[in-house]
Amino acid sequence: MKRRIKSLLFLTIAILIITINASADLGIEDRVQSYLIGDFDSGRVLESYNIDKPLQAASVSKLMTYLVVKDAVKEGKLNLNDRVTVTLEIEAVGGSSLNLLEGEVLTVDELLAGLMVVSGNDAAYALAVKTAGSEKAFTDLMNAKAQELELKSSKFYNSSGLQEGANQNTMSTEDIFKLSRHIIEKYPEVLEYSKIKILNMPKRNFTGESTIPLVGEIPGVDGLKTGFTEEAGYCLVSTIDARKSPQSGEFRLITIVMGTADISERSELSKFLINYGLENYGMRTIIDDKAPYSEVTINSAVNPRVPLYPTESYRILTPKAKRYVYKSEINDGLKAPISVGEKVGTMTLSSEGEDIITVDLIVKHDVEQANLFTRIIRAIENTFRTIATMIRQ
């Protein structure tokens, strides 16, 4: 049996701003179709609005195109140096463009740069045909990959995100977050494209500006992808390495805005989400395995007051104002001797009435048994204390 020791263990982490939760109203809900702030490392959604609804993804779809091509390269089915000859069908693809012309020959690597830097729809189509033989076969790969990643609200009809009649690529904002996180984790070199402000291809007399905003404007922002069609509105997936920001946090955020009215609003709201995340969230060691979180009196021990330590640390990105409570359960009948590392109880971390994690409590030093005389004296003292307490009651 165990007894609950509740008193004196309500240790709180008090950091004074405001308490935040993932359903907070940030005041921009009427200016977007959806938004999200997410923690890259844990995959936790920190702040969000309307993230489950499938939305027109526009060129944000190219993130999946990039992933499928990179996976094919990793699996040896494709090589970055493979040459692709531009066909009339590729040249005819509309919208944002790498200005590919029939008969030109580019490498897969060059087409990936055109895909990610200038968001070339023609580059997407060329990569799709090279990878799978046809765009239809490629979109089958895109949808299969979406199922593999459990992107439950994603459906792809082409590699670029262009609308085709009644058909259009759709993704939920939550799916976009999962996909972006997966790509950065698996292929971190994707962030290298964001460093390219102007894509120059001198041999084909092409110069194109990057479509990725905020890079260089906000310290630490290093990606990732834009999207736009008349129906989808203006969309942007951004990511920031907070270690390179003035706030200097040890985390990476991914922010998403979907369906803003224009480019300037897209940038404005993306900046807002980034700054909100940096200002209101921070990495915290909520449980430290090097610090005692409880103490128990063991009368049979040489030193009766025995500190107890958690077996593991717990460090998370959390609202700076969030308060945590620690509650321990100590095993009944503890007696010396107790060996180093022996489990003597558990500690539960909770916040706002919800249990978050439970870890074992151990001793970090041998608890040696006191000699017989000391134990007898302590037993007598405890008996008198108990009697005195009963008299006072």
Side-chain angles (χ1 to χ4, degrees):
M1 296 292 295
K2 298 180 179 179
R3 67 178 183 274
R4 293 182 177 273
I5 300 180
K6 297 181 179 179
S7 60
L8 303 180
L9 293 175
F10 294 100
L11 308 175
T12 58
I13 298 175
I15 306 161
L16 303 176
I17 302 181
I18 57 173
T19 299
I20 307 162
N21 57 56
S23 60
D25 185 336
L26 302 188
I28 63 171
E29 288 73 16
D30 61 341
R31 302 171 66 187
V32 297
Q33 292 183 32
S34 176
Y35 67 73
L36 179 149
I37 305 174
D39 175 23
F40 168 75
D41 290 315
S42 69
R44 289 168 50 237
V45 174
L46 306 176
E47 304 287 346
S48 65
Y49 167 68
N50 198 29
I51 63 171
D52 299 324
K53 182 181 178 180
L55 301 172
Q56 295 186 38
S59 283
V60 175
S61 306
K62 293 186 177 85
L63 289 173
M64 181 60 84
T65 301
Y66 177 84
L67 176 61
V68 172
V69 172
K70 288 289 286 186
D71 280 352
V73 171
K74 185 174 183 179
E75 293 163 8
K77 299 174 182 177
L78 200 62
N79 191 289
L80 290 176
N81 295 318
D82 285 348
R83 294 161 67 83
V84 181
T85 301
V86 178
T87 64
L88 185 60
E89 192 175 31
I90 294 171
E91 180 185 333
V93 176
S96 56
S97 178
L98 191 58
N99 294 347
L100 297 177
L101 299 176
E102 184 183 13
E104 285 189 299
V105 179
L106 289 84
T107 66
V108 168
D109 195 34
E110 290 171 326
L111 289 170
L112 282 172
L115 178 82
M116 297 303 295
V117 179
V118 300
S119 197
N121 295 327
D122 48 1
Y125 189 91
L127 286 166
V129 173
K130 178 64 177 177
T131 302
S134 70
E135 187 170 50
K136 172 61 173 67
F138 188 82
T139 56
D140 288 343
L141 296 178
M142 295 172 75
N143 287 312
K145 181 61 66 174
Q147 287 188 336
E148 179 186 326
L149 298 178
E150 297 184 353
L151 308 182
K152 299 177 182 178
S153 298
S154 296
K155 177 66 176 177
F156 299 98
Y157 293 94
N158 59 44
S159 58
S160 64
L162 285 170
Q163 185 163 345
E164 296 184 357
N167 296 328
Q168 57 219 355
N169 294 351
T170 56
M171 301 183 73
S172 69
T173 305
E174 184 175 27
D175 282 355
I176 294 170
F177 172 56
K178 290 178 181 178
L179 176 61
S180 302
R181 180 171 177 259
H182 176 78
I183 291 172
I184 296 171
E185 190 171 49
K186 189 173 185 180
Y187 301 115
E189 62 268 26
V190 71
L191 299 176
E192 293 299 312
Y193 295 112
S194 303
K195 297 177 181 178
I196 303 172
K197 297 294 186 181
I198 302 292
L199 182 62
N200 289 306
M201 294 183 173
K203 291 182 179 179
R204 47 186 309 267
N205 196 31
F206 175 84
T207 300
E209 291 186 11
S210 172
T211 63
I212 306 171
L214 307 185
V215 178
E217 184 177 347
I218 299 177
V221 172
D222 52 9
L224 185 62
K225 190 70 191 75
T226 56
F228 168 75
T229 64
E230 291 291 342
E231 295 77 13
Y234 291 84
C235 310
L236 176 59
V237 181
S238 295
T239 181
I240 181 168
D241 183 348
R243 292 170 298 181
K244 299 176 183 177
S245 72
Q247 288 88 338
S248 189
E250 301 174 46
F251 55 90
R252 175 180 286 278
L253 294 177
I254 295 174
T255 65
I256 303 170
V257 293
M258 299 292 289
T260 68
D262 53 49
I263 289 178
S264 61
E265 188 166 51
R266 179 176 69 183
S267 291
E268 177 192 340
L269 297 182
S270 294
K271 290 177 190 177
F272 171 81
L273 292 178
I274 290 168
N275 288 326
Y276 187 94
L278 293 176
E279 291 168 4
N280 292 286
Y281 284 84
M283 287 298 298
R284 293 289 179 270
T285 300
I286 311 300
I287 299 176
D288 186 351
D289 63 3
K290 297 179 176 59
Y293 278 77
S294 185
E295 186 180 84
V296 65
T297 299
I298 302 177
N299 288 316
S300 59
V302 172
N303 298 310
R305 297 173 70 87
V306 179
L308 307 180
Y309 294 78
T311 53
E312 59 184 284
S313 294
Y314 184 65
R315 184 172 172 79
I316 59 170
L317 183 63
T318 181
K320 292 179 180 178
K322 199 174 185 72
R323 297 168 64 87
Y324 293 93
V325 174
Y326 306 88
K327 181 174 60 181
S328 62
E329 289 186 359
I330 311 302
N331 294 355
D332 277 332
L334 290 177
K335 295 180 180 179
I338 301 174
S339 301
V340 171
E342 186 173 334
K343 177 183 174 181
V344 294
T346 60
M347 181 182 74
T348 299
L349 173 71
S350 63
S351 179
E352 299 171 358
E354 180 181 354
D355 290 346
I356 298 170
I357 187 174
T358 299
V359 300
D360 290 341
L361 290 171
I362 61 171
V363 296
K364 285 202 170 183
H365 303 282
D366 285 330
V367 179
E368 298 178 352
Q369 188 179 51
N371 59 45
L372 180 60
F373 177 76
T374 299
R375 282 181 279 150
I376 291 173
I377 293 300
R378 287 177 182 167
I380 293 172
E381 290 174 344
N382 285 337
T383 299
F384 278 113
R385 275 195 294 268
T386 301
I387 293 172
T389 299
M390 293 173 64
I391 291 173
R392 284 196 297 271
Q393 293 176 345

